[in-house]
Each structure stands twice: as C-alpha cells, then as structure tokens.
Amino acid sequence: MSRFLVERDDETRVRLSEGMELTKGQSVLAVLGLAVLFAVPDITRLTSLSFQAVHRGILFGLAAVGLNLLLRHTELVSFGHAAFFGVGAYGAAVLASHFDVSSGLLLLFGGVLASTVTAVLIGYFVAGYLDIYFALLTLAFNQVLYAFVLQSGYFNYSDGLSVRPDGLNPPTLFGLQWSSAGYDLILYYFTVVVLVVSLLAMWKLVNSPFGRALDAIGQDRTRARFVGIPVEKYVWIAFAISGVYGGLAGGLFALLQLHVSPDPTLYAFVSGEILFMAILGGFGTLVGPVVGGVVLVYLLIQAPFYVEYYNALTGLVLIAVVLFLPEGILGSIPKIGTGLARRRRDPGLLREDLTTLGSSLRRGANRAVTTVRIIVFGVN
C-alpha cells in the first residue's frame, strides 16, 4: 500500500497528510471541484457567466467559511461578521491610500492583521454570551464600526478609499505591475490557492482536539465545563480565527475591487448575506459556504438584469432552501442522491411522493383559509 493510500473501515482512502483522508468519492469530487475552480476564467470566457461575480462570490464564501466555524461547531449565530470583512478591506485600502504601499501581498497582510486584532478585541467581549445576546452584540459592534467609518474623514466618509497606491495603477502582485486583464487573472488564481489552503487549514482545525472541544461546547456548555474545557477561552479563540478568515476575504476583495466603501463591506446587511451564504450552501459541510457565496453573490449581481423584483429573490430562495433543502445545497446532495437511487429501484415511491406533496399542499391551503377567516371575521 502506498503512503498516499490507507485502508480504513474496509475502504481504500487517499491520505493527504496525517489524519487527513478522503474516500474515493470525496477524492473525485475534490479533483472535480479544483478543476472547475481553475477553469472558471475559460468557462466565463466561453459563456455568458460573469467572471467578476464568481470571483466576488468565492471571496464572500471564504468569509462564510470563517463564520461557519462558529455556526456549525459552537452553534453561535453572528450577525456582525461583515465587521471583519470590512476591516480587512479597509486595512488594505488605508495602507494603499495613506501610506502608498504598492505590494498587494503587504496590503493583504495589513488587512488580515487589522481584522485579527479587531476580532480578538470583539471576541473578548462577546465570548461569554449565548443565543440572541451573542447575535445582538456582534451586530452592535458591526454597526459601531460602520458608523465610525461612515463619519470619518480619514476613511473618506461614504465615498471610501481607493486601492491604487499611485492613484492610477493597481497594486503589484509578486513584485510585478500587471495589465488590467493580467492583474484580474493572477489575483483570481491567487484567490483559489488561498481558498484551498484555508479550507485545508479549517479541515485540520475542526478535526483536531480543539475542534472536538468546540463541538462539545456547541452541544452543551455546562457539560463542557464539567469535563474541563475552558469554554469562554475556546469560543474567544474560535471567534478570532473566524475573524482571520473574514479579514483574508476582505483584503482580497479590496485588491479585486480597487476601491473600498462602507456599504458593500461593513453594512449590517452584508453580515446577513454572509450568514445566508453559509446556510444556503450547507453549514454542515466544509465547502458548502463557498458554494452558497458564489450562488448568492451571482444572484445579487445578475438578478437585476433579469427580474424586476430582484430584491425579493433572495428571500424566496431562502424560503425554498428552508422548506425543501434544510441542509443547504451541498449538504442535501447525499440525501437527494440516496432518494433518487431508492426511486430507481422502486418506482412506486414516486406515487407516494405525489400523494405526500398533495396532502402538504391541501394542509397549507386549509391553514391559509383558516388564517384569512380569523383575520376577516375574528373567529375560526
């Protein structure tokens, strides 16, 4: 047996590193996903898909991966993760606008450093809270940062800051000044590399003793304390790590957009969108938030060209996901695959599905009629 292949549970697995193993099916999906990611520039060139929208979706998806560390493992819902995305973006923009830093990697490092410090500070204050109090506190800190940037001349108020160190050209990447098309392409491939490394790091983290401790905290904080887990300290660390992912995504966003302003980066609705991405893609999976990010950003950018009431579209998509795909797009694929396989073996199940669907629709219609009757006549 090769060092890259191991036998476990009567199955041959591909070993990427110690403790990091993939089944054959997972290996095929991983290779397919990587191939699609690297082929995106060619795919968008040959089709009507927007390259810019896919790139932005991956960046917001990366921020959602960070948020998912809290959501999935500690069961804490943050309404303020745009704070770290925005601080990461503004960290890069401030270095470019006020200090003429021209290296893209240094700008990204500055953004990540700023968001990490911010996450550590905010995490210190919120780590001891639960449920709605935790959610509201994160939202409050997000709003404070948004209002501060919006009212500050240093950040150029609502007009924001340019990420062009000389006022004309984009930052250099790997020591070179690229043309506009070359810059976009190199930055995209760099984003893909950062995404893959970030996903592998998150995978190692959640499968480590620290990740298991976060799972225990999410299931029952009191019991976690009884077994000796320092709950607040671990939540604080997880919050800071989550902020690093947000800052990384925000810094790359600044390099992509070459201009940073408060509304697309720090506004509270952006926090809601990042949370929605994790749920839409499947917060029970590692890659689901990235899929959710690409899908939602694409909807938000492209829907106005096709649908008049595009603002309602995201709401309708969320309703559909909650009702029909409660485990998200990626999280529901195994269940859908199993269901389809069962129906191929037993076509009679399709009749049961139609009967169940008809019963559900009748119950829904009856509830709607009852509600209208109560509203109009005051009685059932």
Side-chain angles (χ1 to χ4, degrees), residues 90 93 97 146 149-163 258-264:
Y90 267 97
S97 295
Y146 172 74
V149 169
L150 194 65
Q151 301 297 325
S152 170
Y154 188 76
F155 297 107
N156 201 20
Y157 307 107
S158 61
D159 290 335
L161 297 173
S162 171
V163 193
L258 299 176
H259 186 270
V260 175
S261 58
D263 283 347

Side-chain angles (χ1 to χ4, degrees), residues 10-362:
D10 298 326
E11 189 178 17
T12 303
R13 300 189 178 207
V14 178
R15 183 168 64 183
L16 302 179
S17 68
E18 187 65 32
M20 188 179 289
E21 298 163 1
L22 295 176
T23 63
K24 286 183 179 176
Q26 289 171 332
S27 302
V28 171
L29 289 176
V31 171
L32 187 62
L34 278 174
V36 170
L37 277 176
F38 279 99
V40 161
D42 295 321
I43 294 172
T44 53
R45 196 162 41 244
L46 298 174
T47 65
S48 59
L49 292 173
S50 166
F51 177 55
Q52 186 95 351
V54 174
H55 195 168
R56 285 184 60 176
I58 291 173
L59 294 179
F60 276 98
L62 179 59
V65 170
L67 171 64
N68 204 34
L69 178 65
L70 293 173
L71 184 64
R72 177 183 179 187
H73 298 280
T74 66
E75 298 191 2
L76 291 170
V77 179
S78 170
F79 286 164
H81 251 56
F84 313 121
F85 187 87
V87 169
Y90 267 97
V94 166
L95 287 177
S97 295
H98 294 304
F99 299 96
D100 295 329
V101 175
S102 60
S103 167
L105 295 182
L106 281 180
L107 295 178
L108 180 60
F109 177 75
V112 173
L113 182 62
S115 67
T116 303
V117 172
T118 306
V120 169
L121 289 175
I122 295 178
Y124 175 78
F125 292 103
V126 305
Y129 291 88
L130 284 168
D131 304 328
I132 192 64
Y133 303 103
F134 178 86
L136 289 178
L137 272 176
T138 54
L139 176 62
F141 279 110
N142 188 167
Q143 280 300 90
V144 168
L145 282 172
Y146 172 74
F148 177 72
V149 169
L150 194 65
Q151 301 297 325
S152 170
Y154 188 76
F155 297 107
N156 201 20
Y157 307 107
S158 61
D159 290 335
L161 297 173
S162 171
V163 193
R164 295 179 186 271
D166 60 359
L168 181 64
N169 295 305
T172 60
L173 289 176
F174 307 108
L176 297 174
Q177 191 73 60
W178 301 84
S179 65
S180 178
Y183 177 85
D184 289 344
L185 201 60
I186 295 297
L187 183 61
Y188 173 77
Y189 285 124
F190 179 62
T191 298
V192 171
V193 173
V194 169
L195 174 69
V196 172
V197 172
S198 301
L199 288 174
L200 291 175
M202 184 61 76
W203 187 11
K204 290 287 284 185
L205 180 71
V206 299
N207 288 289
S208 67
F210 176 73
R212 304 299 184 202
L214 293 182
D215 287 331
I217 292 170
Q219 291 167 13
D220 193 317
R221 281 196 172 202
T222 304
R223 289 183 179 177
R225 282 195 186 91
F226 280 148
V227 298
I229 297 174
V231 173
E232 282 75 18
K233 180 181 175 182
Y234 275 32
V235 171
W236 185 15
I237 294 172
F239 194 89
I241 295 172
S242 182
V244 171
Y245 276 71
L248 193 55
L252 288 168
F253 179 82
L255 296 179
L256 171 66
Q257 295 298 113
L258 299 176
H259 186 270
V260 175
S261 58
D263 283 347
T265 57
L266 276 168
Y267 194 40
F269 280 174
V270 179
S271 293
E273 289 170 0
I274 294 173
L275 179 60
F276 183 17
M277 290 166 191
I279 297 171
L280 176 64
F283 69 87
T285 64
L286 179 69
V287 186
V290 181
V291 175
V294 174
V295 171
L296 183 61
V297 169
Y298 209 88
L299 281 177
L300 292 172
I301 292 178
Q302 297 298 314
F305 296 108
Y306 304 104
V307 184
E308 185 175 358
Y309 299 100
Y310 62 90
N311 286 322
L313 188 62
T314 53
L316 293 173
V317 170
L318 181 57
I319 291 171
V321 168
V322 171
L323 292 179
F324 302 110
L325 299 173
E327 295 174 14
I329 296 171
L330 211 60
S332 300
I333 287 178
K335 189 177 289 184
I336 292 173
T338 305
L340 290 176
R342 285 184 59 204
R343 280 150 186 78
R344 275 199 302 271
R345 291 193 299 269
D346 184 4
L349 289 173
L350 287 173
R351 286 194 295 275
E352 294 182 16
D353 292 338
L354 292 175
T355 304
T356 304
L357 179 62
S359 300
S360 299
L361 291 175
R362 279 196 298 276

